[in-house]
């Protein structure tokens, strides 16, 4: 029964359809239809956001198995522009193009005389995480080499590495007064080489700190904590560290493609990772760099560029778009 269901789609007060369930799922998987598009079919009393019906998944499985009515209630779609060919019989339904929803030019009539399998422009075998451009206005920033997932463009791995490098550089700039003071001191580096005697290394480091003028220590603390507070503010409000802000990328939730929750963004991806990496670099810098390298290697091998950090917090790193800052309607 679901195979013969007539499904209508709408975006920006423009309607397209009817499509059957298989065609809708093909276009959802390819990204031609986004989770924010509107959908109506027999059994729904009003237009609804597709993501609300699918649980923000890229497949629609209606629970109502009642036989669909071939007629559409005009009162339900009277606020949506209906094109004459959209209301034609099922025989000519392949004339209807999803391109209308994206404001793109209609394909030539010869191209619409294809079988229903070709109706979605050979997208039925394309997974939604590897589709190309022109899926929505939110994906305009994509280039031919970019990966697009639904309505977001994944951030290139090199952009993410550059953002990390910028953050590291800012941290180094913040501790320059402290480093300059330490270079003027006669430091016994053998004190830090014995891993089994970490207490002695800690006591020696405290002795060094006491030898540094209090004004320099105060300046270093202000710069370090000021940088940390600024980073935390941008991450909380925009999902971007200063490095990500400068490289034009952002962290979003894997499911909603909006700003992640406070728990995911601040507690899991920021504070927890900050503590982990401080411990790693305190123990040995080599181990810290190895974990960072593993994170980006994992991301480069993932279809959705998901690294260790993203797996931990269930996030994606994408090209920044102002729509990602809009709260999702409840």
């Amino acid at each position: 029964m679901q195979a013969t269901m007539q499904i209508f789609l709408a975006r920006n007060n423009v309607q397209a359809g009817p499509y059957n369930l298989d065609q809708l799922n093909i276009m959802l998987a390819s990204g031609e239809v986004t989770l924010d598009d509107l959908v109506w079919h027999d059994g729904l009393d009003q237009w609804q956001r597709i993501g609300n019906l699918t649980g923000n998944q890229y497949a629609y499985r209606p629970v109502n198995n009642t036989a669909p009515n071939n007629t559409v209630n005009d009162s339900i779609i009277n606020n949506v522009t209906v094109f004459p060919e959209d209301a034609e019989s099922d025989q000519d339904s392949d004339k209807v193009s999803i391109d209308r929803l994206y404001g793109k030019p209609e394909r030539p009539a010869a191209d619409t005389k294809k079988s229903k399998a070709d109706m979605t422009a050979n997208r039925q075998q394309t997974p939604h995480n590897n589709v190309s451009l022109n899926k929505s206005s939110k994906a305009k920033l994509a280039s031919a080499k970019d990966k697009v997932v639904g309505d977001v463009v994944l951030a290139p791995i090199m952009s993410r590495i550059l953002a990390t490098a910028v953050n590291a550089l800012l941290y180094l700039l913040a501790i320059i007064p402290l480093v300059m003071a330490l270079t003027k001191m006669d430091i016994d580096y053998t004190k830090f080489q014995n891993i089994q005697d970490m207490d002695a290394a800690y006591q020696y480091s405290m002795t060094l700190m006491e030898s540094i003028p209090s004004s320099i220590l105060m300046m270093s603390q202000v710069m370090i904590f000021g940088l940390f507070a600024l980073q935390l503010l941008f991450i909380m409000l925009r999902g971007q560290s200063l490095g990500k802000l400068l490289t034009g990328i952002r962290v979003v939730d894997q499911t909603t493609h909006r700003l992640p929750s406070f728990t995911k963004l601040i507690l899991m991806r920021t504070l927890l990772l900050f503590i982990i990496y401080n411990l790693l670099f305190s123990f040995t810098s080599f181990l810290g760099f190895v974990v960072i390298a593993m994170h980006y290697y994992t991301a480069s091998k993932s279809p959705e560029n998901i690294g260790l950090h993203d797996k931990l917090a269930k996030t994606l790193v994408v090209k920044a778009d102002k729509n990602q800052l809009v709260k999702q309607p409840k």
Side-chain angles (χ1 to χ4, degrees), residues 6-118:
Q6 290 190 331
I7 301 173
F8 292 84
L9 301 171
R11 178 187 294 171
N12 297 330
N13 292 328
V14 179
Q15 175 192 319
Y19 301 103
N20 62 38
L21 183 60
D22 290 338
Q23 292 165 345
L24 173 61
N25 282 327
I26 288 170
M27 291 185 287
L28 274 171
S30 72
E32 285 296 321
V33 174
T34 73
L35 297 179
D36 289 327
D37 287 335
L38 300 179
V39 64
W40 181 88
H41 59 74
D42 189 65
L44 298 179
D45 58 355
Q46 60 184 357
W47 289 89
Q48 296 194 34
R49 178 179 173 273
I50 295 178
N52 293 345
L53 297 180
T54 66
N56 286 319
Q57 302 300 311
Y58 291 89
Y60 182 36
R61 301 178 181 85
V63 295
N64 186 359
N65 293 325
T66 57
N69 190 336
N70 288 331
T71 61
V72 180
N73 186 345
D74 288 339
S75 65
I76 295 176
I77 61 173
N78 58 7
N79 290 325
V80 180
T81 303
V82 183
F83 293 90
E85 61 268 35
D86 293 350
E88 293 183 2
S89 64
D90 217 22
Q91 181 179 358
D92 294 329
S93 64
D94 58 342
K95 292 181 181 178
V96 183
S97 171
I98 197 66
D99 290 343
R100 271 214 187 96
L101 297 181
Y102 292 82
K104 296 187 292 186
E106 286 293 307
R107 290 189 290 267
D111 293 342
T112 64
K113 297 296 185 178
K114 298 180 181 179
S115 65
K116 289 186 177 181
D118 294 330

Side-chain angles (χ1 to χ4, degrees), residues 172-173 175-185 212 216 220:
L172 290 176
L173 291 175
I175 63 173
I176 277 182
L178 186 61
V179 173
M180 294 297 292
L182 290 173
T183 56
K184 297 177 181 179
M185 301 174 63
I212 297 176
I216 295 180
S220 297

Side-chain angles (χ1 to χ4, degrees), residues 5-269:
M5 175 182 294
Q6 290 190 331
I7 301 173
F8 292 84
L9 301 171
R11 178 187 294 171
N12 297 330
N13 292 328
V14 179
Q15 175 192 319
Y19 301 103
N20 62 38
L21 183 60
D22 290 338
Q23 292 165 345
L24 173 61
N25 282 327
I26 288 170
M27 291 185 287
L28 274 171
S30 72
E32 285 296 321
V33 174
T34 73
L35 297 179
D36 289 327
D37 287 335
L38 300 179
V39 64
W40 181 88
H41 59 74
D42 189 65
L44 298 179
D45 58 355
Q46 60 184 357
W47 289 89
Q48 296 194 34
R49 178 179 173 273
I50 295 178
N52 293 345
L53 297 180
T54 66
N56 286 319
Q57 302 300 311
Y58 291 89
Y60 182 36
R61 301 178 181 85
V63 295
N64 186 359
N65 293 325
T66 57
N69 190 336
N70 288 331
T71 61
V72 180
N73 186 345
D74 288 339
S75 65
I76 295 176
I77 61 173
N78 58 7
N79 290 325
V80 180
T81 303
V82 183
F83 293 90
E85 61 268 35
D86 293 350
E88 293 183 2
S89 64
D90 217 22
Q91 181 179 358
D92 294 329
S93 64
D94 58 342
K95 292 181 181 178
V96 183
S97 171
I98 197 66
D99 290 343
R100 271 214 187 96
L101 297 181
Y102 292 82
K104 296 187 292 186
E106 286 293 307
R107 290 189 290 267
D111 293 342
T112 64
K113 297 296 185 178
K114 298 180 181 179
S115 65
K116 289 186 177 181
D118 294 330
M119 180 178 170
T120 56
N122 295 325
R123 299 181 185 92
Q124 61 269 30
Q125 300 299 328
T126 307
H128 74 272
N129 55 351
N130 283 322
V131 291
S132 58
L133 303 183
N134 300 325
K135 287 194 286 295
S136 76
S137 60
K138 299 178 183 179
K140 289 180 179 178
L141 297 176
S143 67
K145 295 182 180 180
D146 284 330
K147 298 179 183 178
V148 180
V149 176
D151 57 354
V152 295
V153 183
L154 296 180
I157 299 299
M158 288 308 300
S159 295
R160 298 174 61 174
I161 294 175
L162 180 59
T164 300
V166 169
N167 288 329
L169 178 61
L170 292 173
Y171 177 77
L172 290 176
L173 291 175
I175 63 173
I176 277 182
L178 186 61
V179 173
M180 294 297 292
L182 290 173
T183 56
K184 297 177 181 179
M185 301 174 63
D186 185 17
I187 301 176
D188 183 4
Y189 290 100
T190 60
K191 298 284 188 180
F192 301 100
Q193 294 176 356
N194 187 0
I195 299 178
Q196 295 180 350
D197 194 2
M198 296 298 294
D199 184 62
Y202 175 77
Q203 294 297 332
Y204 182 65
S205 64
M206 289 297 99
T207 301
L208 291 176
M209 289 299 175
E210 292 173 357
S211 303
I212 297 176
S214 58
S215 59
I216 295 180
L217 282 177
M218 180 66 69
M219 182 186 302
S220 297
Q221 289 173 351
V222 169
M223 293 179 66
I224 292 173
F225 284 107
L227 174 62
F228 183 77
L230 191 61
Q231 292 275 40
L232 200 61
L233 179 64
F234 273 91
I235 292 171
M236 184 168 57
L237 296 180
R238 302 181 57 86
Q240 297 172 296
S241 63
L242 294 177
K244 286 184 172 62
L245 181 66
L246 293 175
T247 53
I249 60 179
R250 171 179 289 123
V251 176
V252 298
D253 188 276
Q254 285 184 12
T255 302
T256 65
H257 295 172
R258 302 292 200 278
L259 284 185
S261 64
F262 181 86
T263 300
K264 290 182 179 181
L265 186 60
I266 303 300
L267 299 184
M268 298 294 291
R269 192 181 171 96

